[in-house]
Amino acid sequence: MRISFPKIISAIGDLQIFPRHTTQMRYIGNVPRGAGAAAAKGSAMAPACPICGAGRNAATMGAMAAADGYRSLSFWHDTVPGTLAPGEPLDGDAEADVVIVGAGFTGLWTAYYLAKADPGLRVVVCEREIAGFGASGRNGGWCSALFPASLTKLARMASRDAAVAMQRAMHGSVDEVGRVAEAEGIDCHFAKGGTVMLARSAQQLLRAQEEIEEARAFGFGEEHLRMLSAAEATSLVGATAVAGGTFTPHCAAIHPARLARGLLSAVRRAGVSVYERTPVRELLPGRVVTASGSVVTARFVVRATEGYTPSLPGYRRAVAPVYSLMIATAPLPDSVWSSIGLTSRPTFGDLRHMIIYGQRTADGRFAFGGRGAPYHLGSSVRPRFERDQAVFSSLADTLRELFPVLGDVPVTHTWGGPLGIPRDWCASVGLDRSSGVGWAGGYVGDGVSTTNLAGRTLCDLILGADSDLVRLPWVGHQSPSWEPEPWRWLGMNAGLRVMGIADRSEERTGRPSRAAAFMGRFLGG
């Protein structure tokens, strides 16, 4: 039996509106998006008409069509409450104390903490689409303490104490996200069930033991990361071929789009001006220039654009946008969940080289994703890259191999999006006080809680606070630029291919992959 893909319910593809600032508001009409979606009326490929419909003006119809198109971005967007109609764009020039480019988690958290710390501060956020459009609204919903650079690498960069401080700050960030969500009334389905990483081969078990050893070397005991026996791991996650695993309590499963849209409401209540459908074409010291020619002048300018950063002049090689794709199943019956487990909603994955990640959603689905989609020449970001049927099929096969009890459960949503990878696989945050330009990003897919830490850190840097946060080792870190093309394309895709081959080699030979060990030197190790 196979997990089935109904043809009409892929959430990403040629129907997406992107980029919004062009006139390409096409093909965004009645697109079904999954279980419970209304049946499509007319052709799904019929261009939307913003002026048809008695009694509604063009602006209203255009906003309605846009909101419907944004719902098709992912399962998370499809199920977020409230409207996704974009707010008003910036019309004319503006002045601010701080202008932030990008209304994903980094931009929203930065605006939130600035507004809370100094209510009189004039904070403006410019967003090309809608808040939560990018990775912040499409990720796996892991609010975790993972940081893309290992403790060992952070210790090499700075010191052992600095690495420990960074990890403790990440632990605290998970709880801080939950605290703010509760304080602001954001129902993001926050469930701090930890993370179970399964070991499903002797080689994966060895990697689990190495992670435990590194944690102990830096003073983190079993209360932070512990080894699981096969029986313990299986009792938490009823997958096949489990040999053991690890468990950390420092992760919460969330609904990321609910968090992003809730933060949008929170910052607006705090007096922040958020301009959606306001693409920025140039980011300079003291000002940003929008695609329409409007200029926002400010003492501080913050770049919070993650995987979309290469589209800005001067930042083409700052990060490499690499796609991660996901699927969501229909809700599963209680009888199936009783076999699978995940009762407290821990996030889960295994220790293969090609990353997979999943969660049990609050409404009883699997949301499951992984790497594998190629890097595209010139750091290109296009809607069609988010739809790769081969990757979606591979994810469904992997999920079914983990949990055969799923049988013919349908996949109701498929989607993807770009994440940002810096050349040294190390996220960073900083502020050049001489120019007033700040930045944060390069999260390598570990950004849900790291963006919160970034927002608090940028707030302290901008306000000149001498806090522990501004002394963490990622502050002011400058990753080297990626190589020019075509070397960047060759290197990125060679790395992806090596990791896939490494998993198959280990499965076939029963020995650790030397190729993966070699590639690990260039990643976060």
Side-chain angles (χ1 to χ4, degrees):
M1 292 187 294
R2 299 182 62 82
I3 297 176
S4 59
F5 287 84
K7 292 182 179 179
I8 63 171
I9 51 182
S10 178
I12 285 290
D14 294 334
L15 308 185
Q16 182 183 328
I17 319 159
F18 182 89
R20 180 73 54 198
H21 62 275
T22 70
T23 59
Q24 298 172 359
M25 291 187 60
R26 59 184 182 181
Y27 307 144
I28 58 176
N30 300 302
V31 183
R33 294 176 297 273
K41 298 178 182 178
S43 170
M45 296 301 289
C49 176
I51 59 173
C52 58
R56 292 173 177 168
N57 62 37
T60 300
M61 290 298 293
M64 289 175 63
D68 186 70
Y70 289 126
R71 291 253 175 227
S72 73
L73 286 172
S74 72
F75 162 72
W76 309 119
H77 290 89
D78 193 20
T79 56
V80 71
T83 181
L84 292 183
E88 290 298 316
L90 179 64
D91 183 16
D93 296 343
E95 294 183 359
D97 298 303
V98 183
V99 59
I100 300 166
V101 180
F105 284 148
T106 299
L108 292 172
W109 282 123
T110 303
Y112 178 82
Y113 288 108
L114 285 170
K116 291 295 184 180
D118 184 352
L121 209 63
R122 298 171 301 167
V123 181
V124 167
V125 181
C126 294
E127 163 59 42
R128 178 171 63 182
E129 299 288 345
I130 60 169
F133 170 84
S136 296
R138 307 190 210 181
N139 60 78
W142 286 38
C143 181
S144 79
L146 291 171
F147 189 78
S150 68
L151 288 164
T152 301
K153 181 170 183 172
L154 289 170
R156 289 199 304 266
M157 286 170 48
S159 69
R160 182 183 185 279
D161 288 346
V164 170
M166 186 75 214
Q167 187 61 71
R168 295 196 184 281
M170 290 301 303
H171 292 164
S173 296
V174 176
D175 293 328
E176 174 66 5
V177 171
R179 183 196 70 79
V180 173
E182 183 177 7
E184 296 294 343
I186 302 171
D187 181 11
C188 63
H189 299 167
F190 188 93
K192 194 180 178 187
T195 296
V196 179
M197 292 300 292
L198 301 172
R200 302 178 64 244
S201 69
Q203 293 72 39
Q204 291 186 27
L205 195 60
L206 177 62
R207 288 194 281 276
Q209 292 166 342
E210 290 171 348
E211 289 186 6
I212 295 291
E213 291 169 2
E214 182 184 49
R216 299 295 181 269
F218 284 85
F220 293 100
E222 287 206 347
E223 71 276 19
H224 296 291
L225 183 69
R226 65 185 176 93
M227 197 75 183
L228 298 175
S229 67
E232 289 172 321
T234 304
S235 71
L236 295 171
V237 186
T240 58
V242 173
T246 63
F247 175 79
T248 175
H250 300 297
C251 186
I254 68 163
H255 186 303
R258 279 175 167 259
L259 179 59
R261 300 303 291 180
L263 283 174
L264 172 65
S265 297
V267 300
R268 282 177 167 160
R269 287 195 301 270
V272 174
S273 298
V274 181
Y275 297 105
E276 296 179 294
R277 294 177 69 177
T278 301
V280 168
R281 74 181 186 203
E282 199 169 14
L283 186 155
L284 300 163
R287 70 185 188 277
V288 300
V289 183
T290 73
S292 66
S294 296
V295 177
V296 184
T297 57
R299 169 68 181 90
F300 298 103
V301 177
V302 175
R303 172 172 56 83
T305 46
E306 193 56 358
Y308 301 94
T309 300
S311 66
L312 290 169
Y315 294 96
R316 171 67 68 180
R317 292 160 57 195
V319 297
V322 172
Y323 281 80
S324 194
L325 273 56
M326 293 194 68
I327 62 175
T329 69
L332 306 178
D334 291 343
S335 59
V336 173
W337 282 120
S338 66
S339 173
I340 293 172
L342 297 172
T343 306
S344 60
R345 294 186 58 211
T347 57
F348 71 93
D350 71 14
L351 289 161
R352 70 187 69 199
H353 296 293
M354 189 68 78
I355 294 171
I356 60 169
Y357 51 92
Q359 67 150 287
R360 174 179 178 171
T361 65
D363 66 344
R365 305 168 186 259
F366 267 118
F368 186 73
R371 308 291 193 264
Y375 164 80
H376 298 278
L377 188 69
S379 295
S380 297
V381 174
R382 298 286 185 272
R384 66 180 182 273
F385 301 158
E386 298 158 9
R387 179 170 181 166
D388 189 321
Q389 289 300 332
V391 175
F392 293 144
S393 294
S394 177
L395 288 172
D397 289 344
T398 299
L399 187 59
R400 185 177 61 255
E401 189 261 332
L402 286 165
F403 307 105
V405 71
L406 290 176
D408 289 328
V409 64
V411 167
T412 61
H413 297 73
T414 60
W415 72 97
L419 52 90
I421 299 183
R423 179 62 182 84
D424 59 359
W425 255 261
C426 184
S428 64
V429 60
L431 174 69
D432 180 352
R433 293 202 72 86
S434 63
S435 67
V437 175
W439 77 92
Y443 305 115
V444 197
D446 294 326
V448 175
S449 55
T450 317
T451 52
N452 174 274
L453 181 59
R456 287 182 284 138
T457 304
L458 280 166
C459 175
D460 285 354
L461 289 170
I462 288 168
L463 297 181
D466 183 21
S467 69
D468 291 339
L469 296 184
V470 303
R471 289 186 286 275
L472 291 173
W474 73 322
V475 178
H477 174 71
Q478 297 279 354
S479 297
S481 297
W482 280 96
E483 288 78 4
E485 298 290 19
W487 308 116
R488 182 161 74 250
W489 179 86
L490 289 168
M492 291 294 294
N493 288 315
L496 288 169
R497 184 171 179 82
V498 164
M499 291 309 185
I501 292 173
D503 285 324
R504 294 191 292 274
S505 172
E506 289 186 352
E507 184 177 352
R508 185 179 67 255
T509 67
R511 295 192 301 271
S513 167
R514 293 182 180 180
F518 176 77
M519 286 300 300
R521 296 167 51 193
F522 299 96
L523 306 181

